[in-house]
Amino acid sequence: MTAPVLAGPDLRFHPVRDSLTMLRRNLKHMLRYPSLTIMLVGMPVVFLLLFVYVFGGTLGAGLGGAGGGGRAEYANFVAPTILLMTITATVQGTAISVAMDLSEGVIARFRTMHIARVSVLTGHVLGSVLQALFGLVVVTGVALLVGFRPAAGVGSWFAAVGFLVVVALALVWLCVALGQVSKSVESASNTPMPLLLLPFLGSGFVPTDSMPGALRWFAEYQPFTPIIETLRALLLDRPLGNHLWFALGWCAVLGVGGYLWSKKLFNREYAH
């Protein structure tokens, strides 16, 4: 009679299972501390109300159009920009969350556990994308209430949602790296600030044609202008032109660059 062979501990890594565990942790953290989510979603709503009701009449008159422009036309012009700003506000929260985990030693604790290392950052990324989608639903609802009238069909809506997810993924990975490179939680809240300012220096709030030479050149070639123009084309049923390809190109650069930068920073800290 042979003695039974006892199975040893499972030493394999399970990246998908561990990533979902980290995602649940981040979602529970968002639910327990909703103030950050409310602030990140509330800021784009404030910008939307400000630009539609305070500046919309004057800025809309400068847009021209068949109806001579006005607040209603400006609501259609600015709503895609506010949707993009919803994503940039959310990813700012990602940088803060990553910096908090680093400063409180949570990530150092995870490194001592038998879990796939990639799951720590992936949990932050997936949680932030879901948070961004929640914010986009809220802001889209408010935009419809203040006069945004999209002309997109069902297919264009699906395309717009997919495009927004791609943009969110690219910017989240960039902000995961910014959160790791920040010296403190306070600096992590400021490091992604250029992402909030770039829509103002592009076609987000006024057409680039109205800008002086050097600023107009920057506005037309910076990453957010093709992203905003792609959203406008999809939501308002206008021709895409080359904007989609430039936008996807910028997303690939930001997303792949952010992922590689994040991985390098995480492995460098791990080596210590």
Side-chain angles (χ1 to χ4, degrees):
M1 182 175 179
T2 59
V5 178
L6 299 177
D10 184 5
L11 299 179
R12 295 175 300 173
F13 290 103
H14 301 278
V16 175
R17 183 193 66 187
D18 295 342
S19 296
L20 292 176
T21 301
M22 290 297 163
L23 171 61
R24 284 196 297 272
R25 170 189 174 265
N26 285 287
L27 292 179
K28 286 181 179 178
H29 190 270
M30 292 174 192
L31 292 174
R32 288 176 182 172
Y33 305 98
S35 57
L36 181 60
T37 301
I38 293 173
M39 183 190 72
L40 296 177
V41 176
M43 186 177 66
V45 170
V46 171
F47 272 112
L48 177 65
L49 298 177
L50 178 68
F51 275 90
V52 170
Y53 287 116
V54 178
F55 306 122
T58 302
L59 293 176
L63 294 178
R71 183 170 286 108
E73 185 163 340
Y74 192 71
N76 285 337
F77 183 84
V78 80
T81 306
I82 301 299
L83 293 179
L84 175 61
M85 292 187 73
T86 305
I87 295 176
T88 58
T90 302
V91 299
Q92 185 183 23
T94 307
I96 295 172
S97 298
V98 171
M100 286 179 64
D101 279 355
L102 282 169
S103 64
E104 294 175 355
V106 176
I107 289 182
R109 173 61 179 149
F110 286 149
R111 286 169 177 157
T112 66
M113 300 170 66
H114 185 71
I115 59 176
R117 280 187 290 160
V118 68
S119 66
V120 179
L121 298 183
T122 304
H124 276 289
V125 170
L126 296 177
S128 296
V129 171
L130 292 177
Q131 189 181 37
L133 289 174
F134 169 75
L136 288 169
V137 171
V138 173
V139 173
T140 301
V142 176
L144 292 172
L145 290 175
V146 301
F148 177 47
R149 295 295 177 264
V154 175
S156 295
W157 269 109
F158 276 107
V161 172
F163 178 68
L164 286 168
V165 170
V166 170
V167 174
L169 278 171
L171 296 181
V172 166
W173 273 116
L174 177 62
C175 283
V176 167
L178 293 176
Q180 292 185 80
V181 81
S182 299
K183 300 296 183 185
S184 65
V185 176
E186 290 76 16
S187 62
S189 66
N190 296 324
T191 307
M193 196 59 69
L195 298 179
L196 296 175
L197 297 178
L198 279 178
F200 292 94
L201 302 176
S203 65
F205 295 95
V206 295
T208 56
D209 296 345
S210 62
M211 300 178 182
L215 181 58
R216 178 181 175 181
W217 182 89
F218 175 80
E220 290 178 346
Y221 290 98
Q222 60 117 322
F224 281 7
T225 292
I227 291 175
I228 293 169
E229 293 301 327
T230 299
L231 277 177
R232 283 195 183 117
L234 290 172
L235 296 177
L236 301 177
D237 195 23
R238 295 174 180 173
L240 278 168
N242 292 324
H243 296 304
L244 176 62
W245 305 115
F246 281 113
L248 292 177
W250 274 116
C251 288
V253 170
L254 295 173
V256 175
Y259 168 76
L260 294 176
W261 191 18
S262 297
K263 185 178 176 182
K264 181 179 179 181
L265 289 170
F266 193 80
N267 289 335
R268 182 193 63 181
E269 294 294 333
Y270 183 77
H272 292 171

